[in-house]
Amino acid sequence: WQAAWSGRSVATNGPMLRPTLAGEIPGHVFRASAGEQLTLEPELTLSVRDKVDYLEVIHNGQVHYSARLDEFAKAGGRIPPLQVNSIGWVTIRVMTLYENHFRAATSAPWYIDFDGRRRVTAAGVQFFQRWLRDYEERLAQLPQTEIKRHAPFIRRARSFWQRQAGLVTDPSNVLP
């Protein structure tokens, strides 16, 4: 459980994905200073029973690499390294169609800090602030005694997201 709480995990409903980034398991924090460039090589071991539709490496919400499993095999099982010179995150996922539904595996993220700062986007903060407001509206329908049980957690979450809003590193990234 401690590994899961630390972000050292992979969520799956079928494929067995065992990824590393520059030799580190998900949840690792890469640290660098301004002006440095990190070369991070994704690697993985994958066990599946179903045809994999695609394998992807996502960096800061953008697809860095995407391939069908046969393309991945033809490339010698190698994924191009990421050249990183700013804060962010990376995750790896695989998707497979299975009868009338899909099966997938997604790694927890690896984080990339520069000068002790993490990537915080306006869109991410807005998403969770809206989610929190929606949750509070649902809680308002409960009896007062039940609301009191949730209130300390709501106050802490509201305070956390207000602090995060002050740490936004990408203010141009906003929700519509």
Side-chain angles (χ1 to χ4, degrees), residues 23-138:
E24 301 292 345
I25 63 174
H28 180 76
V29 179
F30 295 96
R31 300 183 197 292
S33 299
E36 285 184 65
Q37 179 167 298
L38 300 176
T39 299
L40 305 175
E41 191 162 336
E43 296 176 327
L44 61 98
T45 302
L46 180 63
S47 301
V48 295
R49 285 200 272 179
D50 309 312
K51 182 180 144 232
V52 170
D53 287 293
Y54 60 89
L55 156 69
E56 290 184 330
V57 176
I58 312 295
H59 176 230
N60 290 345
Q62 303 295 314
V63 176
H64 164 73
Y65 174 82
S66 181
R68 299 182 68 80
L69 194 57
D70 60 341
E71 296 169 346
F72 176 65
K74 285 178 191 172
R78 291 190 50 101
I79 299 169
L82 289 124
Q83 302 299 324
V84 181
N85 57 13
S86 63
I87 56 180
W89 56 270
V90 176
T91 190
I92 297 176
R93 66 183 175 195
V94 295
M95 299 287 291
T96 179
L97 291 178
Y98 178 76
E99 296 176 1
N100 294 330
H101 64 282
F102 71 92
R103 290 187 177 169
T106 303
S107 73
W110 291 264
Y111 297 99
I112 305 158
D113 291 3
F114 274 76
D115 297 324
R117 295 190 62 199
R118 287 227 172 138
R119 184 172 191 258
V120 179
T121 65
V125 171
Q126 289 172 341
F127 172 85
F128 285 106
Q129 286 176 328
R130 285 182 189 172
W131 181 86
L132 184 58
R133 280 194 301 273
D134 292 347
Y135 186 67
E136 288 180 79
E137 287 176 15
R138 286 194 307 276

